[in-house]
Amino acid sequence: MIDIKKLRDNLEGIESSLSKRGYKIDKSSFKSLDKKRKELQIDVESLQAERKTLSSDFGKLKASGKDTSDLKSVIDKNNHDLETKDVELQNILDEVNSLMLDIPNVPDESVPEGKNEDDNVVIKKYGEIKSKNTLDHLEITTHIDTDLAAKLAGSRFAVLKGDIAKLQRALITFMLDEASNNGYQEFYLPYIVNKESLIGTGQLPKFEEDQFKVSDRLYLSPTAEVQLTNMFRDKILDDIELPIKVTAHTSCFRSEAGSYGKDTRGLIRQHQFEKIELVQITHPTNSMDCLNDLLKNACQILDKLELPYQVIELCTGDLGFSSAKTFDIEVWMPSQNKYREISSCSNFSDFQARRSNIKFKDKKGNTFAHTINGSGLAVGRTLIALLENRFNGNDEIDLPECLVSYFGSKKVKLK
RNA sequence: GGAGAGUUGGCUGAGUGGUCGAAAGCGCCUCCCUGCUAAGGAGGUAACUGGGCAACUGGUUCGAGGGUUCGAAUCCCUCACUCUCCGCCA
């Protein structure tokens, strides 16, 4: 949710910012709605003030045992007027609100302009592409079994066996340790979350069909961003606590309703996958520094894993709904001969904080915080990248140095 | 699954129809006092939001939503959540 005051004060400015990301705001309907809102609100509030004094007069009259019927008819009229005006006001407020909920976040000034993903900007490439391998991960190892998973659950699931299952476990521990070393407090979280939480981080109401619903009010969490951010929902933090850095490993669940036929093979796009998430709650003045910090934390993991990757900055046209600025980290996937997203690091400015009511307190008063998050990293995709980049035709691969102690051996058996 | 008790400000917790946005305590802020520290004293301290250049001045909010009433934190209904005991269980 963007700030309605900013919209009132600077409609043209917001309009041009939003047009850069391809969103056209309905200026004239906002203006006329807001004008009506103002008139009605003034009416309603003065009628409410009137009711207060009339009611207290009524009480006094009654207490002194005098006749109240004249006053009663005045009160009745006032209440009747109030009710009609109030209904009108509520209707207008509902309209304003749904208009506001539909408006995406305003891109940061620094975000490169562009229409779609073709206009994203490669910031830097890291590591050397050495692999000559063309086989994909399902061809490299027999220990990723999607048929078996289909028997148990359905498509877009996987069973990992033996060393591959163990390697996933090692990766999770490694990534969590990296996050802890970088100052993130580790959490273990519920995988099921309520509606309020999903609304807070922006998955609801707009993206309901992407979620797995387990009951009337409960959903499987699509990312630990939801839990880690909503821990601070409805809180007023102390400014000296900022930035707050938190992390967790969770299984993540996505229905992938909109991706029929996309990445149907293997581990790339699953209904259930493992992810380590990094979240920071920051002061508005240095949130961009915090984003760079978080990006560095995520990149560092790929550096240690010795995997080639690139960092791209999303252009205005490709930004997610809630994001003000996003860097994607893409790891080299030899079988596809291209880079694939393995982490998305975003500054949401006060967009999520406004929805989830996360504030901090300083001498000037209470202000919405900024929220930052990114994966550190997506575990399944990291696993694939390791297999594909390190495969050299044998029945086992060598692990990078950083994983050896976590895995307990230097070699991973593929068959 | 059965039975019961709750949900009030940053926290603890009083408040059963108007004088209640709300006692008291804790915490926090300002000041006073004391050579430092400890203790003590005075005052202040909820959030959200409208109008106004401003001084200022309205409104809303006591888990959520309805209802009764001239008037609801307080009475009634529905829902959500939390806790305790019993049962079951990793």
Side-chain angles (χ1 to χ4, degrees):
Chain A
M1 186 103 75
I2 67 167
D3 187 355
I4 193 162
K5 279 184 218 148
K6 281 192 189 141
L7 205 55
R8 278 182 202 135
D9 296 346
N10 182 19
L11 191 53
E12 270 69 28
I14 304 272
E15 180 196 30
S16 83
S17 293
L18 288 175
S19 73
K20 287 181 194 161
R21 47 141 73 225
Y23 184 86
K24 196 172 177 313
I25 187 168
D26 190 345
K27 252 195 319 185
S28 66
S29 84
F30 175 78
K31 269 188 192 161
S32 72
L33 275 175
D34 197 50
K35 183 160 174 276
K36 265 189 258 173
R37 186 223 98 237
K38 189 166 164 176
E39 291 165 4
L40 281 167
Q41 185 164 348
I42 291 169
D43 286 353
V44 166
E45 288 181 3
S46 62
L47 285 165
Q48 282 171 332
E50 186 73 3
R51 179 180 60 181
K52 257 191 183 170
T53 54
L54 288 174
S55 280
S56 116
D57 290 350
F58 187 96
K60 284 176 201 147
L61 211 57
K62 192 112 185 184
S64 66
K66 297 201 179 107
D67 176 48
T68 54
S69 56
D70 286 353
L71 185 54
K72 176 78 164 62
S73 64
V74 176
I75 288 174
D76 284 346
K77 180 171 184 316
N78 187 78
N79 278 351
H80 177 77
D81 292 349
L82 177 58
E83 203 185 323
T84 24
K85 288 280 184 189
D86 196 43
V87 169
E88 281 181 61
L89 178 62
Q90 288 316 316
N91 288 340
I92 296 286
L93 286 178
D94 285 348
E95 275 186 67
V96 172
N97 197 35
S98 64
L99 196 139
M100 292 301 295
L101 278 176
D102 197 52
I103 300 175
N105 201 358
V106 177
D108 189 72
E109 300 269 319
S110 64
V111 175
E113 268 189 63
K115 278 193 181 135
N116 52 44
E117 59 181 11
D118 300 332
D119 298 325
N120 292 343
V121 177
V122 177
I123 304 287
K124 203 171 172 187
K125 292 179 191 290
Y126 298 83
E128 189 190 337
I129 296 170
K130 293 176 187 155
S131 175
K132 302 273 189 292
N133 167 47
T134 55
L135 300 180
D136 78 13
H137 54 287
L138 295 186
E139 294 166 311
I140 290 170
T141 178
T142 55
H143 285 358
I144 299 175
D145 193 336
T146 50
D147 293 339
L148 186 53
K151 177 180 180 180
L152 301 175
S155 65
R156 290 201 191 278
F157 289 95
V159 170
L160 307 184
K161 305 181 203 173
D163 270 9
I164 300 297
K166 192 175 165 189
L167 177 56
Q168 165 157 292
R169 178 156 56 89
L171 278 169
I172 291 166
T173 314
F174 164 66
M175 290 179 190
L176 280 174
D177 281 353
E178 290 296 306
S180 299
N181 292 338
N182 285 320
Y184 293 79
Q185 190 184 11
E186 181 177 341
F187 286 84
Y188 170 78
L189 301 163
Y191 291 1
I192 292 180
V193 295
N194 57 28
K195 261 186 190 168
E196 290 74 18
S197 298
L198 287 170
I199 290 170
T201 28
Q203 284 80 11
L204 290 182
K206 217 173 171 176
F207 305 105
E208 166 110 39
E209 78 275 12
D210 294 334
Q211 317 304 326
F212 279 110
K213 195 169 184 170
V214 296
S215 78
D216 208 27
R217 320 186 47 263
L218 299 176
Y219 297 79
L220 294 177
S221 170
T223 160
E225 163 196 348
V226 175
Q227 295 97 311
L228 289 173
T229 308
N230 276 281
M231 291 198 294
F232 304 97
R233 191 176 74 222
D234 293 323
K235 284 217 170 221
I236 300 172
L237 304 158
D238 225 316
D239 62 337
I240 54 167
E241 296 178 78
L242 303 178
I244 295 173
K245 298 160 83 172
V246 290
T247 189
H249 152 252
T250 63
S251 296
C252 303
F253 302 89
R254 298 188 184 172
S255 82
E256 297 294 348
S259 352
Y260 298 115
K262 209 175 178 183
D263 299 317
T264 48
R265 189 176 154 83
L267 282 190
I268 288 266
R269 190 176 298 275
Q270 299 263 293
H271 286 316
Q272 171 184 324
F273 60 97
E274 306 307 301
K275 184 158 62 64
I276 281 73
E277 186 72 5
L278 307 171
V279 166
Q280 295 194 21
I281 312 290
T282 79
H283 201 282
T285 53
N286 67 354
S287 62
M288 282 305 167
D289 296 337
C290 294
L291 175 63
N292 287 326
D293 174 58
L294 187 143
L295 178 67
K296 217 172 65 195
N297 298 151
C299 287
Q300 179 195 315
I301 295 169
L302 287 168
D303 290 332
K304 291 200 177 176
L305 291 172
E306 299 165 30
L307 290 168
Y309 64 96
Q310 65 178 13
V311 174
I312 62 170
E313 177 168 8
L314 301 196
C315 71
T316 50
D318 200 30
L319 276 184
F321 182 76
S322 311
S323 176
K325 188 179 179 75
T326 298
F327 295 105
D328 276 4
I329 305 174
E330 299 183 327
V331 71
W332 180 251
M333 293 288 190
S335 72
Q336 300 189 9
N337 201 37
K338 63 178 173 193
Y339 289 97
R340 292 299 307 257
E341 179 184 332
I342 199 165
S343 173
S344 186
C345 304
S346 302
N347 184 345
F348 299 92
S349 64
D350 62 1
F351 195 85
Q352 286 182 331
R354 204 172 282 286
R355 292 174 82 110
S356 5
N357 195 23
I358 303 172
K359 297 185 177 168
F360 67 92
K361 195 187 202 100
D362 62 13
K363 289 182 190 74
K364 279 176 268 172
N366 300 337
T367 316
F368 287 112
H370 280 194
T371 58
I372 315 278
N373 71 52
S375 347
L377 305 160
V379 178
R381 290 185 181 184
T382 307
L383 189 69
I384 303 174
L386 275 175
L387 291 174
E388 294 192 4
N389 281 286
R390 297 199 151 246
F391 183 64
N392 53 16
N394 301 326
D395 284 350
E396 47 188 28
I397 58 164
D398 290 326
L399 285 179
E401 195 52 44
C402 67
L403 283 179
V404 173
S405 65
Y406 286 97
F407 186 73
S409 152
K410 206 172 160 48
K411 309 252 185 217
V412 178
K413 291 193 183 65
L414 302 173
K415 301 217 156 109

